[in-house]
Amino acid sequence: MPAPTPADQPPVPAHVAIIMDGNGRWAKQRGLPRLEGHRRGVETVRATVAAARDLGIRVLTLYAFSAENWNRPADEVGGLMNLLEFFLKRETATLVRDRVRLRTIGRTDKLPEPVRHQLAAALQATEHFTEHTLVLALNYGSRTEVAEAAQAYATDVASGKLPADTPPTWETFARYLYTADLPDPDLVIRTSGETRVSNFLLMQAAYAEFVFTPVLWPDFGKDDLAAAVADFQRRERRFGRTSEQLTAPGKA
Ligand code: IPE
Ligand code: IPE
Ligand code: MG
């Protein structure tokens, strides 16, 4: 068989979502406080945004703080909020330079005021960019997202905006999710060897490919991202069909 030409290469995933995990263990292995792991994790975020852009990934979603993460010790939550504020303050200029639009999913209204302030500035400074999007999942929980969408949907039925006698199609319902104007993730990566979804994009990842890597988030590099993308490109996404239907569409 001839070597595959670039034209035969499956496309890079348009939307990659990452569950950034393992900061605490990275720090523990070194006898450092957990917050030091989070600090190093922020540097990985910077590098990953650049690497994703270089690979041609249009949308990168990073799970930065889950709705359940409020249950961590107060000093760790406070430290994470300070880091988030610092990250937004420092990175906005880079996002503007690289023409990356910032978006968020999750209940950002519940974040501390200084974080909300930086967030508003970063969102406004980057809102007109279209080519690349960085989505930060902040105080995000998939179950809350779905429950809130159901409530908003019901409100629109009650007011007559939506028909009461026909069940929603998925497409109609999905307009009520935080991700309404975002494509579904094609690839979900979780670092640190854990193999669970932890309330992340449960609906949107219905047909995503998953890559689990043992690498702890602070050690996750450009090559690890490229390897996950290459793994994705070797997969066959069937969406319920048979392999034969995909390889010989005329016949099957
Ligand atoms: C991920 O690292 C960062 C957040 C969840 C905010 P962890 O802090 O969960 O690291 P581990 O899982 O304890 O190693
Ligand atoms: C998931 O990681 C949340 C983020 C990466 C922000 P956790 O470390 O909080 O997940 P669990 O609790 O181990 O499932
Ligand atoms: Mg963890």
Side-chain angles (χ1 to χ4, degrees):
M1 260 194 12
T5 63
D8 296 330
Q9 282 253 315
V12 296
H15 182 178
V16 176
I18 308 183
I19 303 174
M20 310 183 286
D21 201 8
N23 294 350
R25 277 162 284 169
W26 183 93
K28 197 173 174 187
Q29 282 174 2
R30 288 162 180 78
L32 297 168
R34 289 180 59 84
L35 209 54
E36 195 48 40
H38 295 314
R39 249 182 232 119
R40 293 297 293 255
V42 171
E43 299 313 313
T44 305
V45 167
R46 271 189 111 180
T48 305
V49 173
R53 199 175 160 273
D54 291 348
L55 284 169
I57 295 162
R58 291 178 63 95
V59 182
L60 175 70
T61 296
L62 300 176
Y63 200 8
F65 194 84
S66 76
E68 288 78 19
N69 286 148
W70 296 110
N71 295 323
R72 292 192 178 199
D75 61 340
E76 181 166 346
V77 171
L80 282 166
M81 291 302 147
N82 287 341
L83 275 177
L84 182 55
E85 185 189 340
F86 157 82
F87 168 82
L88 292 165
K89 204 174 203 166
R90 192 184 66 172
E91 291 311 306
T92 301
T94 310
L95 294 174
V96 171
R97 186 198 67 198
D98 294 344
R99 309 181 63 77
V100 178
R101 177 177 68 136
L102 182 69
R103 274 279 320 262
T104 62
I105 51 173
R107 292 295 303 269
T108 55
D109 56 309
K110 299 283 195 290
L111 296 172
E113 204 286 321
V115 177
R116 281 187 280 125
H117 178 79
Q118 288 303 331
L119 200 49
L123 291 170
Q124 200 192 8
T126 62
E127 67 188 357
H128 48 292
F129 301 129
T130 52
E131 217 175 305
H132 294 276
T133 303
L134 169 64
V135 184
L136 293 181
L138 299 170
N139 188 18
Y140 176 84
S142 201
R143 287 178 162 180
T144 302
E145 176 186 33
V146 172
E148 285 179 7
Q151 187 186 35
Y153 187 92
T155 303
D156 280 356
V157 170
S159 72
K161 250 202 206 169
L162 285 171
D165 50 353
T166 42
T169 61
W170 173 252
E171 285 69 27
T172 313
F173 184 73
R175 275 188 234 134
Y176 292 81
L177 297 172
Y178 305 148
T179 50
D181 54 351
L182 293 168
D184 283 343
D186 301 291
L187 169 63
V188 175
I189 301 169
R190 183 167 189 152
T191 59
S192 87
E194 306 297 349
T195 48
R196 54 178 174 268
V197 286
S198 302
N199 204 11
F200 186 51
L201 301 176
L202 299 179
M203 296 291 115
Q204 297 87 340
Y207 266 104
E209 295 295 327
F210 283 78
V211 169
F212 297 101
T213 165
V215 176
L216 301 175
W217 178 249
D219 292 329
F220 188 83
K222 209 170 141 184
D223 293 349
D224 297 304
L225 182 65
V229 167
D231 191 341
F232 169 88
Q233 290 175 313
R234 287 189 292 270
R235 311 258 182 110
E236 183 181 63
R237 301 181 81 191
R238 291 194 280 274
F239 300 98
R241 292 171 183 272
T242 66
S243 190
E244 290 70 24
Q245 283 178 297
L246 298 171
T247 47
K251 286 193 199 145

